[in-house]
Amino acid sequence: MMDAYVIGALPPYNYLLGGKLVSYLIVSKEVRELFHQKYRDTKYNQLAGIFTTSLYGKSSQYNRLKFKDRLLYSPIGETKGYGTLHLTTETFKAMNDFLKEQGIIVSNKFGDGPSWTMRVIRNAGELLGFNPDNLLMHSFKRKIYFVPYAKNTISFLNQKDTYLDFYNQNVNTLTNYWREHWLRQRKNNNKIIEEVKWFNPNYFEI
């Protein structure tokens, strides 16, 4: 399993629903094969599915996102409003630097545990006398989505099947589907095309 933490597209590509294209590409067999190649020497080298969350509440990017008749991103619940999105990059860097000054290095390698960012915040918070759970509570509930990579992902995860029967859509197939079902409408919208043409990266900030 894998967590897709950020899925989206920056301007001007978001005007053309580039975020949906990235959402399609994530479920491609090429991504699954890259995962297998990267972790081939570990026990868990088969990608059965991914989890992701909306930014706030219900996501227009994932809702109704289908390949033919198959819904790709299935809503399975919502978060409790727990995470790191309310803490700035500067705050996180200060916490990590503080830990290093104390001789504490929080490892960021595969297999070391859940979110490195959250582990840094927890360790720093505890040393500074804060309750880590309170530090990580932002109260913005987000929808949780699950994307199975195989027809029998659920049975496999429940140990009823010993192999995964993958869907195997490749990048070209998924891109063409996105182009036909999503991009075509945007290309015919003059207002959208004007926004793309007049986009100025000098006025864009993250």
Side-chain angles (χ1 to χ4, degrees), residues 62-112:
Y62 306 129
N63 285 339
R64 301 181 295 106
L65 195 67
K66 294 183 177 182
F67 178 75
K68 298 182 179 179
D69 293 329
R70 177 164 59 95
L71 182 66
L72 297 179
Y73 290 73
S74 299
I76 60 172
E78 63 181 16
T79 68
K80 294 182 178 180
Y82 191 82
T84 63
L85 64 85
H86 59 304
L87 298 173
T88 66
T89 302
E90 291 77 11
T91 299
F92 174 76
K93 183 178 184 303
M95 288 180 164
N96 199 29
D97 289 344
F98 169 71
L99 289 176
K100 290 178 181 178
E101 290 171 1
Q102 307 303 311
I104 300 173
I105 305 297
V106 180
S107 179
N108 188 21
K109 296 179 180 178
F110 178 76
D112 286 338

Side-chain angles (χ1 to χ4, degrees), residues 98-186:
F98 169 71
L99 289 176
K100 290 178 181 178
E101 290 171 1
Q102 307 303 311
I104 300 173
I105 305 297
V106 180
S107 179
N108 188 21
K109 296 179 180 178
F110 178 76
D112 286 338
S115 173
W116 173 66
T117 303
M118 293 180 74
R119 285 185 286 122
V120 168
I121 293 169
R122 278 191 167 280
N123 278 274
E126 287 176 352
L127 280 178
L128 291 168
F130 293 103
N131 183 329
D133 289 332
N134 291 340
L135 280 178
L136 292 166
M137 187 64 68
H138 53 64
S139 300
F140 298 114
K141 292 186 178 182
R142 300 187 288 181
K143 286 287 185 182
I144 303 171
Y145 294 87
F146 178 64
V147 185
Y149 272 62
K151 301 171 186 176
N152 63 333
T153 288
I154 303 302
S155 296
F156 176 81
L157 294 176
N158 286 321
Q159 299 183 332
K160 294 180 180 179
D161 288 341
T162 56
Y163 71 94
L164 287 163
D165 185 11
F166 292 110
Y167 286 112
N168 282 328
Q169 279 84 33
N170 61 33
V171 164
N172 287 338
T173 299
L174 292 166
T175 300
N176 288 334
Y177 191 86
W178 165 81
R179 183 182 291 118
E180 182 66 25
H181 289 79
W182 297 100
L183 180 62
R184 178 191 290 270
Q185 298 176 27
R186 289 282 164 145

